[in-house]
């Protein structure tokens, strides 16, 4: 059973930084490595949008709105994907979800709230 556990959200002032983590809990390393990609999406209201993704080979993709500010990375031995968010803006406020794709199967974490406000 795929279990994604997000952490690292919180309240930060504009211009500040946060690092989100997504742990592939309850899976062995070989299972974690068998993925097409993992990534972060964010949701405001009913709108969920892509933030960043990373493939098993390490290729990354970013939404235009976060390019140059956010960095996605992974640590295979820790079964964790990270999202380093710098120069945060109020419009980055959202619930951030970790997503894992294996073939046609999609798995989501429970979400973590990020609030950017002074």
């Amino acid at each position: 059973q795929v279990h994604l556990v997000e952490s690292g959200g919180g309240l930060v002032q504009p211009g500040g930084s946060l690092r989100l983590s997504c742990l592939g809990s309850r899976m062995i390393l070989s299972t974690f490595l068998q993925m097409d990609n993992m990534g972060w999406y964010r949701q405001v209201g009913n709108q969920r949008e892509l933030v960043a993704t990373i493939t098993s080979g390490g290729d990354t993709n970013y939404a235009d709105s976060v390019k140059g500010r956010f960095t996605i990375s992974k640590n295979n031995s820790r079964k964790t994907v990270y999202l380093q968010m710098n120069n945060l803006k109020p419009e980055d406020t959202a619930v951030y979800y970790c997503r894992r794709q294996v073939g046609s199967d999609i798995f989501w974490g429970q979400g973590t709230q990020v609030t950017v406000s002074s």
Side-chain angles (χ1 to χ4, degrees):
Q1 181 179 358
V2 176
H3 190 221
L4 303 174
V5 180
E6 298 115 329
S7 62
L11 172 64
V12 64
Q13 292 185 342
S17 298
L18 285 174
R19 188 176 79 158
L20 305 182
S21 299
C22 175
L23 169 66
S25 178
R26 302 180 190 172
M27 64 177 73
I28 60 177
L29 179 58
S30 60
T31 299
F32 178 81
L33 294 174
Q34 293 173 0
M35 65 168 178
D36 293 323
N37 62 74
M38 288 185 68
W40 292 93
Y41 286 65
R42 63 189 182 188
Q43 182 166 343
V44 177
N46 293 325
Q47 290 286 96
R48 187 172 293 191
E49 63 178 11
L50 178 147
V51 177
T53 61
I54 187 167
T55 69
S56 58
D59 294 328
T60 58
N61 180 51
Y62 296 93
D64 288 342
S65 59
V66 305
K67 283 181 180 177
R69 301 188 297 123
F70 291 11
T71 303
I72 189 170
S73 62
K74 62 185 176 75
N75 185 320
N76 289 332
S77 64
R78 295 187 175 184
K79 300 176 290 181
T80 301
V81 173
Y82 303 98
L83 184 68
Q84 177 66 43
M85 305 186 294
N86 298 328
N87 190 22
L88 282 160
K89 304 176 180 180
E91 52 262 42
D92 295 318
T93 295
V95 179
Y96 284 69
Y97 292 91
C98 180
R99 176 186 184 269
R100 174 180 168 87
Q101 180 174 355
V102 182
S104 60
D105 295 325
I106 305 294
F107 306 92
W108 295 94
Q110 83 284 356
T112 185
Q113 176 71 45
V114 171
T115 302
V116 185
S117 175
S118 55

